[in-house]
Amino acid sequence: MEEKFSVKEALSFGWKTTKGNLKFFIPLLIIVGLIFILPEFVISRLFYFYLLKEDSLFLFTIAVALVELTRKILHIITWLGIIKISLNFCDNLKSKILDIFSQYRLFFRYLFATIIYLIIVFFGLILLVIPGVYFAIRLLFYDYFIVDKKIGAIESLKKSWKI
């Protein structure tokens, strides 16, 4: 027997869970905010340093590229951690703030699945806009399968397509 999805129940569950765990979610929000803001601050400091020394364009470019790469990696790991925390709350399991970094082992799986996802959606958009949107929606939940079931990129995309 299939369970029916209720938007009202989902929103009610989300609201009650958030309200009941504010002492968890507020520090989590602060940490995620810092993870997203700090690299921008570093880049602005590097730019200021570059303006002081005009002959260091190459070093400035390398430094910014490294900060951007680090930022992207941290964002992906943080996103996977947020998914894990969300799934824990859905399963009535407790999470810790450090769970935000707990899914780092899934980085390459997620990266590979994301590349495949983007290629599929891109070609769908080239065909016409509608197939691209259709593919994007059908494959949208691959990251949840990667975190929840610890499955590979292709299998996660297949499961997302199926649901």
Side-chain angles (χ1 to χ4, degrees):
M1 183 166 143
E2 247 182 74
E3 290 184 41
K4 294 203 178 198
F5 178 77
S6 166
V7 173
K8 184 178 178 182
E9 285 180 32
L11 290 174
S12 174
F13 173 79
W15 179 250
K16 286 178 189 174
T17 302
T18 302
K19 229 170 58 172
N21 294 286
L22 279 177
K23 288 182 181 177
F24 176 81
F25 286 117
I26 290 174
L28 180 69
L29 181 64
I30 291 168
I31 289 170
V32 170
L34 287 173
I35 289 170
F36 279 72
I37 291 171
L38 281 177
E40 304 305 324
F41 176 76
V42 170
I43 290 173
S44 70
R45 295 293 100 200
L46 287 172
F47 185 69
Y48 178 73
F49 175 75
Y50 168 70
L51 289 177
L52 294 177
K53 287 187 116 186
E54 293 182 23
D55 61 331
S56 60
L57 177 61
F58 178 72
L59 291 176
F60 171 74
T61 305
I62 297 295
V64 169
L66 288 173
V67 169
E68 281 296 314
L69 179 64
T70 304
R71 182 177 71 89
K72 293 288 185 194
I73 291 169
L74 273 174
H75 285 187
I76 290 171
I77 292 170
T78 302
W79 173 243
L80 295 172
I82 289 170
I83 291 172
K84 180 64 176 172
I85 290 169
S86 301
L87 292 171
N88 282 349
F89 275 101
C90 286
D91 294 337
N92 292 317
L93 300 172
K94 289 291 179 185
S95 283
K96 302 176 297 250
I97 295 288
L98 289 179
D99 285 344
I100 196 87
F101 304 112
S102 68
Q103 302 302 301
Y104 68 91
R105 289 183 187 98
L106 302 174
F107 175 81
F108 289 106
R109 226 180 275 186
Y110 174 82
L111 185 64
F112 183 57
T114 300
I115 291 168
I116 295 169
Y117 171 82
L118 291 173
I119 289 169
I120 292 169
V121 171
F122 176 75
F123 282 112
L125 290 172
I126 287 177
L127 291 173
L128 288 172
V129 173
I130 302 298
V133 172
Y134 177 74
F135 294 154
I137 292 170
R138 290 288 302 257
L139 301 171
L140 186 65
F141 297 105
Y142 71 93
D143 46 1
Y144 288 86
F145 283 111
I146 289 172
V147 173
D148 191 32
K149 305 292 185 196
K150 306 284 191 263
I151 58 177
I154 303 294
E155 191 176 350
S156 68
L157 289 162
K158 287 179 182 178
K159 284 191 178 285
S160 181
W161 184 270
K162 188 176 180 181
I163 66 164

